[in-house]
């Protein structure tokens, strides 16, 4: 279980998160939803060690990891796929995968099994891939790290619906293999369909927590996501 308890964090003199608590149970999908600027990305940056909280506590399987650096959290299985494309654009697809999994063929085979299209692009420079292919590569690299907890920040942003479908099939695969997901996603309906639990964040504070089925008729859904 991965927990963030009473997290306070921000940038310089600006406080973004004000006592945020989120729990990600083993093997569960937790959707973190809210308007732009609500604090979603900031929370993922704290969760991955990229931003140090000024107050609060993080634990992984009961172990305090609040002050762990990003590489330490990654070593414990916390994998962050940030908004944008988390790849090395000047390297080939094969080189990007090899950096994550070593030079063995097993890693490449796993990546291609997850995203067959990458098998056709192994010698291509990653920066010349389409946006959807770059996101597939970023997710494949994360997959090869055998994540225990995956932090996903708007991984479908700007992609064609067909590519979004492929990505959500992959996310379902991750959960079946035992990974936990903390998902920030613009496609609210898709996120709720995948999620076991949902948190709504508004102005740096949790406005709602519960199961997706409980949220459908809640006024808070309309207030903070602007969907109705």
């Amino acid at each position: 279980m991965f927990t963030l308890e009473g997290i306070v964090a921000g940038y310089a003199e600006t406080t973004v998160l004000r006592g945020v608590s989120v729990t990600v149970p083993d093997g569960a999908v937790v959707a973190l939803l809210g308007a732009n600027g609500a604090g979603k990305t900031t929370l993922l940056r704290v969760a991955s060690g990229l931003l140090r909280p000024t107050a609060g506590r993080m634990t992984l399987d009961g172990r305090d990891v609040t002050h762990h650096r990003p590489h330490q959290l990654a070593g414990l299985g916390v994998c962050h796929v940030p908004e944008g494309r988390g790849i090395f654009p000047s390297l080939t697809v094969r080189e990007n995968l090899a950096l994550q999994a070593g030079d063995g063929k097993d890693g490449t085979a796993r990546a291609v099994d997850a995203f067959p299209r990458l098998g056709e692009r192994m010698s291509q420079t990653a920066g010349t891939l389409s946006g959807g292919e770059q996101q597939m590569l970023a997710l494949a690299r994360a997959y090869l790290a055998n994540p225990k907890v995956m932090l996903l920040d708007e991984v479908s942003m700007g992609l064609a619906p067909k590519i979004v479908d492929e990505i959500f099939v992959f996310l379902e695969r991750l959960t079946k293999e035992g990974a936990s997901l903390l998902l920030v996603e613009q496609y609210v309906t898709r996120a709720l369909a995948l999620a076991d639990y949902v948190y709504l964040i508004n102005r740096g504070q949790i406005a709602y927590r519960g199961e997706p089925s409980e949220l459908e008729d809640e006024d808070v859904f309309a207030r903070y996501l602007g969907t109705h």
Side-chain angles (χ1 to χ4, degrees):
M1 183 176 290
F2 186 54
T3 67
L4 299 102
E5 305 170 10
I7 297 296
V8 177
Y11 308 95
E13 301 300 318
T14 302
T15 300
V16 177
L17 302 176
R18 300 172 175 84
V20 171
S21 295
V22 172
T23 297
V24 185
D26 285 345
V29 179
V30 176
L32 179 66
L33 306 176
N36 290 339
K40 305 183 300 293
T41 293
T42 299
L43 185 66
L44 293 192
R45 288 175 59 83
V46 170
S48 65
L50 291 172
L51 181 64
R52 185 68 58 85
T54 56
R57 182 170 180 258
M58 292 199 311
T59 65
L60 180 63
D61 293 334
R63 175 181 179 180
D64 192 324
V65 295
T66 310
H67 301 295
H68 279 41
R69 295 183 181 278
H71 72 276
Q72 294 174 309
L73 286 166
L76 294 174
V78 179
C79 184
H80 186 190
V81 181
E83 184 179 339
R85 313 292 180 240
I87 61 172
F88 295 95
S90 63
L91 302 181
T92 66
V93 169
R94 180 176 287 105
E95 289 167 340
N96 267 272
L97 296 173
L99 281 175
Q100 186 64 59
D103 294 325
K105 293 182 179 180
D106 288 348
T108 299
R110 286 184 65 209
V112 173
D113 185 51
F115 293 110
R117 192 176 309 193
L118 294 180
E120 306 168 6
R121 304 284 192 268
M122 284 294 165
S123 299
Q124 188 169 334
T125 303
T128 65
L129 299 174
S130 70
E133 291 167 345
Q134 289 185 25
Q135 192 63 285
M136 290 177 184
L137 179 56
L139 290 167
R141 293 186 70 249
Y143 180 51
L144 295 185
N146 297 314
K148 180 178 178 62
V149 180
M150 187 173 283
L151 313 171
L152 299 152
D153 195 356
E154 301 283 14
V155 293
S156 67
M157 180 175 286
L159 303 182
K162 183 178 179 180
I163 302 297
V164 174
D165 289 342
E166 291 185 52
I167 286 175
F168 271 86
V169 168
F170 170 72
L171 297 182
E172 289 179 12
R173 174 177 178 161
L174 277 177
T175 63
K176 290 177 181 177
E177 294 183 7
S180 303
L181 309 183
L182 179 55
L183 176 68
V184 170
E185 177 54 53
Q186 62 174 341
Y187 289 105
V188 173
T189 303
R190 298 295 296 267
L192 292 177
L194 183 64
D196 299 295
Y197 306 98
V198 60
Y199 288 74
L200 297 184
I201 186 169
N202 178 51
R203 297 182 180 180
Q205 295 180 305
I206 298 300
Y208 174 91
R209 59 171 61 82
E211 297 181 11
S213 60
E214 299 170 348
L215 186 62
E216 293 174 352
D217 297 325
E218 293 282 347
D219 175 62
V220 71
F221 189 60
R223 285 183 61 192
Y224 295 119
L225 298 182
T227 56
H228 299 337

